[in-house]
Amino acid sequence: MRKILLLAAASLALATAASAQTVKVSVTAIVEHPALDAVRDGVRDGLGEAGYKEGENLEFTYESAQGNTATAAQIAREFVGDNPDVIVPISTPSAQAVAAATRDIPVVFTAVTDPVSAGLAKSNEEPGGNVTGVSDLSPISDHVALIKELVPDAESIGFVYNPGEANSVVLLDLFKKAAEEQGLSVVEAPANKSADVQAAARSAVGKVQALYVPTDNTIVSALESLIGVAEENDIPLVSGDTDSVERGTLASVGFNYYQVGKETAEVVVRVLKGENPGTIPVTFASGTDLVVNRKAAEAMGVDLPQAVLDRASKVIE
Amino acid sequence: MSAIAFWGAVELGLVYGFVALGVFLAFRILDFPDLTVDGSFPLGAAVAAVALTAGWNPWLACFIAALGGAACGLVTAFLNVRFGILNLLASILTMIALFSVNLRIMGRPNMAVLNRDTVITPFYDLGLPDHLVRPLVLAVLIIIAVLLLARFLGSDFGLAMRAAGANPRMARANGVDVGRQIYVGMGLSNALTGLAGALFAQVSGFADVTSGVGTIVVGLASVIVGETLFRSRAMLIALAACVIGSVIYRIAVQLALSADLLYLKPSDLNLVTAVLVALALILPRLRAGRRVAR
């Protein structure tokens, strides 16, 4: 018995000694889908590049709430109990759950469209408290301009989104504003769950010359059914994120979520080095990647303008 | 599992304990499979979020949320009693309508309650750590609810309600107005769920229209887990069992979350939760089966 106790004490001492140099970063997302998973991987790799390597001096944990907000609240409390150096919540509800659960542990949210209206930051310049992060607000007017360039005779654009997602509603307002400025009208195609995406897209057929899908968790997780409708009816489909272009949308300009994760990691590193998160301004994810999909162009009956092809940072064949 | 995680699970279990009490009323007392709760839970959260943002007293916000929940239950009861729509279908209709209603109430799908005064705020001055204050306040609230409900179900009116659920024909023959019992029972059931939603928004920092998904499953699981652990005909114990069932359900989820020892991935969470709840349901039955076999 005494031996066991001694052994336990020794291993405990060892563990505390090791943890002196090890940093602990806990990551959580509301749901698992390719874009959010890419953010997570970006955070991990970004930390690695900054010298925090998993298995050496970084303890990296990840939990998904599988779409359930009560689980998100439980994950938040579990993380707070583990007392990590930084908590990185991905998406709005996860970030709110974590922010409600701790007033001390630094929080670096990411993939939140509008941190101020989500109650996470007092202002984007000075978030206040223990929270800062990265916003994934899409470069919306660039998207409208891209649609205009790809479909010169477009008059109205179908906007496929879930009215139940906070981010998407913000994006819809911005999109309408940008489209109006560029002389285009917007037709809403709402889908409350992934099973409704196809029907929503069909409802826009005949009314629009192009379709647009924002960074909407529901729609993006059922992207293939939307692509099917676009290809069937020769309607060009532009997406808000570049990851979706690889899955078969026509084109997008913006950031990829892996890059967003890396930008988040930079903020995490600043916090790890001792900066106060409340005074770090919210970062807006950047990136001017233009990605086009030649195969999708053929399927959707679009002649890709040479100017677009010349500018593209990546052409998917 | 850390202490904070454990008490966090207790806290959410107590919040969902109000849902369990509501589901017990509808499902066990009235024999009414009620999916309205998937809509009245986020409705309660939405109403509370809007009220708190407008600077209302948090207790008043809870009260209005409970009233809103009651209204949802009454709509379902109305469709069922007045027009004879099958109870399950009536509740599904209300539930899907509530999704749009909740979007209207908040004006957007997600609303922050962070940095607002809640019913818990004044108790933070007790000198206890935050993660203990929340479950403590909630425990007091739910004990009051359980006592009041037990009292209600033991009254003449409550006994008539139990009769209406157990055997509507017999109850009718004895002069019980079964329709009225369904109105009151469903109103009360969803008022409890609306209150749960309001409390959820306050302890989790946000109201989100998607937060209702699966509420009925959680409520039912809590009721059944509670019943399996505490078999009793005494109403007070049956009600308390629902609350304890809800807390156990949350602790099971917490275990599933921290079960990274067994080669489990985060994506396995729902599966692990289902297995844990199923085990809670199966084990007593196996024990009983062996007794019978003997």
Side-chain angles (χ1 to χ4, degrees):
Chain A
M1 188 66 201
R2 171 153 332 145
K3 229 181 231 168
I4 294 171
L5 273 178
L6 260 174
L7 210 66
S11 62
L12 198 72
L14 263 177
T16 29
S19 74
Q21 312 122 22
T22 301
V23 298
K24 199 164 165 187
V25 176
S26 301
V27 182
T28 177
I30 188 69
V31 68
E32 299 187 285
H33 74 63
L36 297 188
D37 293 353
V39 176
R40 174 198 61 203
D41 297 342
V43 171
R44 183 172 19 212
D45 295 356
L47 286 172
E49 281 166 22
Y52 298 98
K53 296 216 164 55
E54 214 184 346
E56 290 174 31
N57 56 350
L58 171 69
E59 201 182 309
F60 189 91
T61 46
Y62 169 75
E63 300 277 9
S64 150
Q66 310 220 321
N68 187 316
T69 46
T71 311
Q74 280 194 271
I75 291 171
R77 283 163 175 74
E78 160 159 322
F79 281 179
V80 172
D82 291 345
N83 198 23
D85 294 286
V86 180
I87 302 179
V88 182
I90 306 173
S91 76
T92 302
S94 289
Q96 287 168 324
V98 170
T102 178
R103 290 183 266 178
D104 320 311
I105 302 171
V107 177
V108 179
F109 60 77
T110 184
V112 170
T113 298
D114 187 351
V116 174
S117 81
L120 295 164
K122 287 203 184 71
S123 72
N124 287 322
E125 294 70 37
E126 193 165 338
N130 56 332
V131 181
T132 187
V134 178
S135 158
D136 65 344
L137 187 63
S138 308
I140 289 285
S141 54
D142 294 349
H143 292 163
V144 177
L146 178 66
I147 294 174
K148 246 187 137 174
E149 199 176 354
L150 290 168
V151 197
D153 59 343
E155 283 167 9
S156 58
I157 308 169
F159 188 95
V160 192
Y161 75 115
N162 177 358
E165 278 193 35
N167 288 350
S168 308
V169 175
V170 175
L171 292 173
L172 174 64
D173 284 343
L174 292 170
F175 192 86
K176 276 185 176 164
K177 227 176 272 164
E180 215 168 274
E181 276 166 16
Q182 301 183 36
L184 297 164
S185 65
V186 176
V187 174
E188 291 180 37
N192 286 332
K193 46 185 194 298
S194 44
D196 299 339
V197 171
Q198 197 167 28
R202 286 214 175 106
S203 75
V205 172
K207 293 185 228 160
V208 299
Q209 294 76 43
L211 284 168
Y212 176 78
V213 52
T215 50
D216 179 301
N217 292 325
T218 309
I219 313 296
V220 170
S221 60
L223 193 64
E224 278 70 21
S225 61
L226 182 56
I227 294 169
V229 174
E231 291 184 346
E232 246 169 55
N233 299 286
D234 281 349
I235 303 177
L237 167 66
V238 170
S239 56
D241 65 318
T242 48
D243 295 313
S244 295
V245 183
E246 308 210 5
R247 286 169 71 188
T249 66
L250 176 60
S252 179
V253 58
F255 38 76
N256 66 36
Y257 272 95
Y258 180 72
Q259 206 57 43
V260 173
K262 283 195 158 180
E263 286 172 36
T264 310
E266 285 171 23
V267 182
V268 174
V269 169
R270 286 172 68 180
V271 173
L272 287 174
K273 296 226 161 106
E275 261 187 85
N276 175 6
T279 58
I280 303 177
V282 172
T283 316
F284 286 87
S286 63
T288 43
D289 281 11
L290 172 62
V291 183
V292 277
N293 187 328
R294 216 192 281 265
K295 216 162 143 197
E298 254 168 58
M300 294 170 190
V302 179
D303 288 325
L304 287 169
Q306 195 56 42
V308 172
L309 284 171
D310 291 345
R311 234 173 45 236
S313 47
K314 190 172 178 190
V315 178
I316 295 154
E317 300 295 336
Chain B
M1 197 192 300
S2 69
I4 293 184
F6 174 80
W7 288 111
V10 173
E11 173 190 330
L12 272 173
L14 292 170
V15 168
Y16 276 87
F18 286 96
V19 176
L21 291 175
V23 169
F24 178 82
L25 264 186
F27 193 67
R28 278 288 183 255
I29 301 289
L30 284 175
D31 197 20
F32 195 121
D34 178 28
L35 284 161
T36 317
V37 290
D38 273 27
S40 54
F41 183 85
L43 177 110
V47 169
V50 171
L52 289 174
T53 309
W56 291 20
N57 178 297
W59 293 106
L60 184 62
C62 285
F63 180 70
I64 308 274
L67 276 190
C72 306
L74 289 180
V75 170
T76 300
F78 184 67
L79 291 173
N80 172 247
V81 176
R82 180 71 179 72
F83 298 110
I85 299 177
L86 183 71
N87 46 20
L88 189 63
L89 185 57
S91 71
I92 290 175
L93 291 175
T94 317
M95 174 191 77
I96 52 173
L98 279 173
F99 188 85
S100 307
V101 173
N102 292 339
L103 280 173
R104 277 284 175 144
I105 291 174
M106 293 197 286
R108 50 196 158 134
N110 174 296
M111 210 164 171
V113 192
L114 292 163
N115 314 319
R116 303 265 170 212
D117 274 354
T118 68
V119 289
I120 318 278
T121 314
F123 299 98
Y124 284 134
D125 302 334
L126 286 177
L128 285 167
D130 289 4
H131 63 270
L132 289 179
V133 171
R134 288 187 296 249
L136 199 69
V137 175
L138 291 166
V140 172
L141 288 180
I142 208 154
I143 287 171
I144 296 172
V146 165
L147 290 175
L148 286 176
L149 266 181
R151 184 98 193 256
F152 169 74
L153 289 170
S155 69
D156 283 349
F157 193 87
L159 286 170
M161 184 181 286
R162 289 155 74 177
N167 191 339
R169 233 186 225 181
M170 179 73 106
R172 227 170 259 129
N174 282 293
V176 174
D177 184 344
V178 174
R180 193 174 65 179
Q181 295 296 344
I182 292 177
Y183 277 117
V184 175
M186 292 296 290
L188 198 54
S189 159
N190 284 285
L192 287 163
T193 312
L195 177 61
L199 293 171
F200 179 78
Q202 297 184 38
V203 298
S204 323
F206 66 99
D208 196 291
V209 283
T210 61
S211 65
V213 179
T215 306
I216 183 68
V217 179
V218 176
L220 272 178
S222 309
V223 169
I224 296 171
V225 170
E227 276 176 355
T228 326
L229 293 174
F230 303 93
R231 294 210 166 272
S232 170
R233 288 178 161 265
M235 204 37 84
L236 187 65
I237 295 176
L239 290 168
C242 295
V243 178
I244 296 169
S246 170
V247 172
I248 290 174
Y249 178 86
R250 282 297 149 194
I251 292 175
V253 172
Q254 203 72 51
L255 279 175
L257 279 172
S258 43
D260 35 81
L261 308 164
L262 309 160
Y263 297 104
L264 289 166
K265 286 175 34 172
S267 54
D268 298 331
L269 171 65
N270 280 5
L271 178 66
V272 174
T273 314
V275 169
L276 286 171
V277 174
L279 278 181
L281 300 180
I282 294 167
L283 286 178
R285 194 146 297 182
L286 285 183
R287 245 184 290 147
R290 217 178 300 143
R291 216 175 297 141
V292 171
R294 227 182 273 158

